[in-house]
Amino acid sequence: MTDMLDGLTLEPFEGEEEEWDGVATGPTPDDALYLELDGWEGPLDLLLDLARRQKVDLRNISILALVEQYLDYIDRAGALRLELAADYLVMAAWLAYLKSALLLPKEEQDEPSAEELALRLQLRLQRLAAMRDAAARLMGGDRIGRDVFVRGAPEGLRIDRKHKWKCDHFALVQAYGQVKARTAPAIHMVRERMVMTLDSALSRVSSMLGISVKWMEIRDFLPDHANPQLRKSALASSFVAALELARMGKAEIEQEDIFGPLRLRAMPKAKNAA
Amino acid sequence: MSAPDELVRAVEATLFASEEPMTWQDISTHLGDADVKPALAELQAHYAKRGVRLVERGKKWFFQTAPDLAHLLRREKEQIRRLSRAATEVLAIIAYHEPVTRAEIESIRGVQTSGGTLDVLMEAGWVRMGPRREVPGRPLTYLTTPEFLAHFGLESRRDLPGIEDLRAAGLLDPVDAAMEALDFEGGDETAEDDGDDGEFARTDTDAAGE
Amino acid sequence: MSAPDELVRAVEATLFASEEPMTWQDISTHLGDADVKPALAELQAHYAKRGVRLVERGKKWFFQTAPDLAHLLRREKEQIRRLSRAATEVLAIIAYHEPVTRAEIESIRGVQTSGGTLDVLMEAGWVRMGPRREVPGRPLTYLTTPEFLAHFGLESRRDLPGIEDLRAAGLLDPVDAAMEALDFEGGDETAEDDGDDGEFARTDTDAAGE
């Protein structure tokens, strides 16, 4: 079953466990170590491998022996001045702590106790081992494309949907009526709108300016009219008329603050002459 | 039933899994030069009355669905759909004005008519193509069919209500603007799908037009 | 051999022709709502000793070649997806623990899982994302698919090799739950390697974990 694991064997020690000696074996120890470390997926994987070397049920492994094997392994790598991934070193530090804790008399142990930590590690190793075995058995099953084959050239099933169209007499004549109604020639009428033209505003404002030389608010120039639309239009037209008169030098405009009342008066004759 | 022998099983599995029909030589090569002819004969007999047959065509063997069950491979499912408003209008115009060209339909409706709309009406069997109009471009004309009359319960086209009848029935009243907007917003010109239930789901737009 | 009845033949032909595995409901719908279950049972019995089998995987039915003929059918080039060891393990963890979060997978394996590993499994169609776990961070969970069951020849997740034993031994429970189940109170004797772990895992938390 190892053939489908892209060259990685599930159990790297299998078949060679007698000879296994870590870095010491092999003609090129440095390479050998690198290769060994490449073969493990992290410290837990390495620990599981070491645990299996104890050749006992994982429930009966000696955690202390396991810790020592791991630390020894890391030590040897250190002696060769090989770079180890940080997580291997973190695990080594933690295991060194665990080892010292395990060696202490129970009453001197902190919480959580060394036994609890050791048990947790053991449980984790059991779980990883269980999944590794499960994966192997899963891969060993009758897999489609390797052990069993599905039909090579199925003819295929197809469901053709055929539409049955529904319409009734009423819908038909109603639709025709609507086409006729929609396309009947229509007469467009433009409604007359109440506006004050600029011309009429201009003559109204200039004639009212002639009467007084006092400042007058622009609203005073508007005709009395109930229609709000016309009042708006008159205001706009009168404002433009005021600007026009100011431009022609016939009127002055004054506004003390923003949005304040806008006032205007006829240009005094003297100034006008200057 | 007795179990088939190993060679028969091997030939059966080989042909089942093969992506191509195989000659007996192909099969034999595949199975280590076994003499597969008796196995093929046995399999052919075994499958003769089943839903699947072992057939030989042009010296090649393959499994195939039994001919009497071929209809199972291509099933037709009827789906009832209500004609869209656009299609109903086009149908009405054809009925009132036939023979009528597409350009004339568009000019009466005041909007462009998608080709799909006429396709639907022809698929429904209510409209067919008529002779070409002898004008520049020689456009096709469209006509209603006898099925159209039958479906709408008409003896003849003269039974269609006239404009005065429509007016009297209030069917020439101006169309609700909102409804027009709904109808001409480039949605599905062709059909409104009522799903498979065949029920006429009368929608709001329908109700608004009545 | 007596000829099979028409419904059996129809089911046989339908499943032979189908490009996809079908649930009995699919088959029934295709055959006009026939009661196909007895026909499936009859076909399964009929094909039990032949070179082709009728199998049910994840509630879907399909024909496949008999497993004992694998050596004859294996092609020159295997059409099987090769999985890295990491992917194999992740797949097993998902299958045995589903629904399972990425963090849970990583906690079992003791290493980070590269995104590529899950991608490969999802692309193969064996794993899909499931609902988010309602815990802080709302992590996604992962599940296996019916294609996973089909590919690995499992009728349902209950057929995962050894799953009952693993569950009984508490090996599918997280370490924390297992510690609780052991009723571990720092400093008592439980931690000694007495080989009884398999015993005390069978507790209430076990059942709750399912």
Side-chain angles (χ1 to χ4, degrees):
Chain A
M1 67 133 308
T2 51
D3 61 336
M4 81 205 64
L5 296 175
D6 281 343
L8 281 174
T9 53
L10 267 187
E11 294 162 332
F13 58 89
E14 207 167 29
E16 54 183 25
E17 49 185 331
E18 301 302 325
E19 295 84 46
W20 188 84
D21 196 18
V23 217
T25 55
T28 55
D30 298 15
D31 288 353
L33 182 61
Y34 270 124
L35 285 176
E36 292 284 4
L37 284 175
D38 279 349
W40 282 294
E41 284 210 42
L44 197 64
D45 191 20
L46 170 55
L47 273 169
L48 178 59
D49 196 350
L50 293 169
R52 283 185 161 170
R53 280 165 217 277
Q54 293 187 13
K55 289 192 205 163
V56 290
D57 189 305
L58 277 181
R59 288 175 299 188
N60 296 325
I61 52 162
S62 160
I63 289 290
L64 201 54
L66 179 63
V67 167
E68 280 175 350
Q69 285 175 52
Y70 185 94
L71 293 176
D72 182 43
Y73 193 95
I74 298 300
D75 275 353
R76 276 191 276 175
L80 286 165
R81 291 193 212 104
L82 295 176
E83 286 217 9
L84 279 175
D87 48 351
Y88 283 87
L89 296 174
V90 169
M91 179 64 93
W94 185 79
L95 289 176
Y97 163 76
L98 177 61
K99 179 182 164 186
S100 62
L102 282 171
L103 296 173
L104 279 177
K106 260 184 196 171
E107 50 273 21
E108 292 176 33
Q109 290 180 7
D110 296 332
E111 288 292 325
S113 70
E115 275 80 10
E116 183 177 343
L117 296 175
L119 179 58
R120 279 183 171 273
L121 177 59
Q122 192 179 358
L123 290 174
R124 287 191 74 188
L125 291 173
Q126 282 177 24
R127 274 154 185 72
L128 179 58
M131 281 302 105
R132 192 152 294 176
D133 294 343
R137 292 171 70 180
L138 195 57
M139 295 299 140
D142 290 330
R143 293 179 64 185
I144 289 177
R146 185 188 66 180
D147 307 295
V148 294
F149 298 86
V150 294
R151 183 139 192 229
E155 291 150 280
L157 297 175
R158 211 175 80 200
I159 293 175
D160 294 332
R161 292 195 186 279
K162 196 182 162 200
H163 294 138
K164 185 174 166 67
W165 295 97
K166 285 270 177 181
C167 187
D168 59 24
H169 183 266
F170 176 74
L172 185 76
V173 299
Q174 182 196 42
Y176 191 68
Q178 284 166 2
V179 169
K180 282 304 196 187
R182 192 171 70 228
T183 57
I187 300 157
H188 294 278
M189 312 255 278
V190 179
R191 204 183 303 153
E192 202 177 344
R193 292 169 63 205
M194 302 285 274
V195 291
M196 183 180 216
T197 63
L198 180 56
D199 283 343
S200 67
L202 204 55
S203 61
R204 181 179 172 90
V205 173
S206 63
S207 66
M208 284 174 80
L209 271 180
I211 300 167
S212 166
V213 289
K214 283 194 259 173
W215 288 103
M216 284 174 73
E217 225 238 295
I218 192 157
R219 292 184 193 280
D220 299 336
F221 292 92
L222 305 185
D224 284 337
H225 203 292
N227 187 324
Q229 253 189 327
L230 180 62
R231 289 184 66 81
K232 264 191 185 164
S233 167
L235 178 62
S237 303
S238 302
F239 174 62
V240 177
L243 290 177
E244 180 65 12
L245 290 169
R247 191 185 64 81
M248 294 189 299
K250 294 182 181 168
E252 285 186 301
I253 304 179
E254 176 188 86
Q255 186 176 30
E256 278 174 356
D257 40 37
I258 299 168
F259 298 119
L262 190 74
R263 300 190 299 173
L264 68 158
R265 67 172 180 190
M267 191 66 91
K269 292 280 186 256
K271 268 190 185 172
N272 199 12
Chain B
M1 180 191 55
S2 62
D5 79 17
E6 284 311 294
L7 183 58
V8 170
R9 293 179 71 235
V11 172
E12 185 180 30
T14 302
L15 280 170
F16 168 85
S18 171
E19 285 163 19
E20 305 282 343
M22 296 172 90
T23 63
W24 68 260
Q25 291 93 336
D26 293 338
I27 305 167
S28 174
T29 307
H30 193 84
L31 298 176
D33 299 321
D35 177 14
V36 298
K37 283 185 181 174
L40 284 168
E42 186 179 330
L43 281 170
Q44 198 165 33
H46 173 81
Y47 279 97
K49 287 178 181 163
R50 302 205 60 89
V52 169
R53 296 279 166 81
L54 180 60
V55 294
E56 183 191 8
R57 298 269 184 280
K59 303 211 182 295
K60 295 198 171 191
W61 295 82
F62 58 98
F63 280 111
Q64 193 183 48
T65 304
D68 65 309
L69 297 175
H71 65 279
L72 295 178
L73 305 185
R74 299 276 176 272
R75 305 228 77 171
E76 277 200 347
K77 206 175 166 190
E78 208 164 64
Q79 206 175 23
I80 296 178
R81 303 182 90 191
R82 192 168 56 87
L83 213 54
S84 70
R85 275 182 40 81
T88 310
E89 285 185 12
V90 171
L91 180 62
I93 291 167
I94 295 172
Y96 275 91
H97 296 266
E98 74 176 45
V100 62
T101 67
R102 185 159 157 177
E104 288 161 351
I105 295 168
E106 291 181 350
S107 121
I108 294 168
R109 280 190 76 211
V111 284
Q112 290 226 326
T113 300
S114 80
T117 307
L118 284 163
D119 283 351
V120 162
L121 295 174
M122 288 191 279
E123 185 196 312
W126 296 332
V127 164
R128 65 181 175 86
M129 292 177 188
R132 290 184 181 277
R133 178 79 42 85
E134 290 304 338
V135 295
R138 303 187 67 242
L140 273 172
T141 59
Y142 293 89
L143 308 168
T144 55
T145 62
E147 291 81 51
F148 164 80
L149 294 176
H151 184 91
F152 289 91
L154 302 168
E155 289 279 320
S156 79
R157 282 180 54 242
R158 283 192 303 278
D159 291 346
L160 284 169
I163 291 294
E164 284 315 312
D165 302 319
L166 294 180
R167 195 187 311 283
L171 289 173
L172 285 185
D173 295 343
V175 189
D176 186 309
M179 179 171 153
E180 242 187 5
L182 269 178
D183 199 30
F184 295 110
E185 266 172 40
D188 185 359
E189 262 274 286
T190 313
E192 286 154 32
D193 198 344
D194 280 343
D196 287 9
D197 54 10
E199 278 295 307
F200 290 177
R202 285 217 163 260
T203 59
D204 294 341
T205 50
D206 264 338
E210 286 167 27
Chain C
M1 180 192 56
S2 62
D5 79 16
E6 283 311 296
L7 183 57
V8 170
R9 292 182 69 235
V11 173
E12 186 180 29
T14 301
L15 280 171
F16 247 78
S18 175
E19 283 154 345
E20 300 288 339
M22 297 172 88
T23 62
W24 70 260
Q25 292 94 333
D26 293 339
I27 304 167
S28 174
T29 306
H30 192 79
L31 298 177
D33 300 321
D35 177 15
V36 298
K37 284 184 180 175
L40 284 167
E42 186 179 330
L43 282 169
Q44 197 165 34
H46 173 82
Y47 279 95
K49 288 178 179 164
R50 302 204 60 90
V52 170
R53 296 274 169 84
L54 178 60
V55 294
E56 182 188 7
R57 301 281 182 255
K59 305 215 181 291
K60 295 192 174 194
W61 295 81
F62 58 97
F63 281 108
Q64 67 178 25
T65 57
D68 64 304
L69 299 172
H71 60 289
L72 295 172
L73 299 172
R74 223 162 261 173
R75 317 285 161 86
E76 306 72 45
K77 201 171 62 177
E78 277 184 11
Q79 296 165 323
I80 197 163
R81 183 176 285 272
R82 294 187 167 272
L83 284 184
S84 69
R85 178 175 135 188
T88 311
E89 277 180 27
V90 170
L91 180 61
I93 291 169
I94 295 173
Y96 284 77
H97 290 82
E98 74 177 49
V100 63
T101 66
R102 187 158 159 173
E104 288 162 348
I105 296 169
E106 293 181 347
S107 121
I108 293 170
R109 296 191 64 231
V111 281
Q112 295 225 324
T113 303
S114 79
T117 306
L118 282 164
D119 271 4
V120 162
L121 296 175
M122 287 194 280
E123 193 197 320
W126 297 334
V127 165
R128 68 178 178 83
M129 292 177 185
R132 291 186 183 275
R133 177 81 43 87
E134 290 305 337
V135 296
R138 302 188 70 238
L140 273 174
T141 59
Y142 293 88
L143 308 169
T144 55
T145 62
E147 291 76 40
F148 162 79
L149 295 175
H151 183 90
F152 290 94
L154 307 168
E155 193 167 321
S156 74
R157 280 189 63 241
R158 279 194 303 279
D159 294 334
L160 284 167
I163 191 166
E164 281 312 319
D165 294 339
L166 290 174
R167 184 171 290 146
L171 287 168
L172 299 182
D173 300 330
V175 169
D176 282 339
M179 292 294 284
E180 254 176 63
L182 291 168
D183 195 21
F184 190 92
E185 285 158 30
D188 75 7
E189 280 82 344
T190 334
E192 281 169 26
D193 307 329
D194 52 11
D196 284 346
D197 308 29
E199 289 294 315
F200 23 85
R202 295 187 67 93
T203 64
D204 296 350
T205 51
D206 208 13
E210 288 172 31

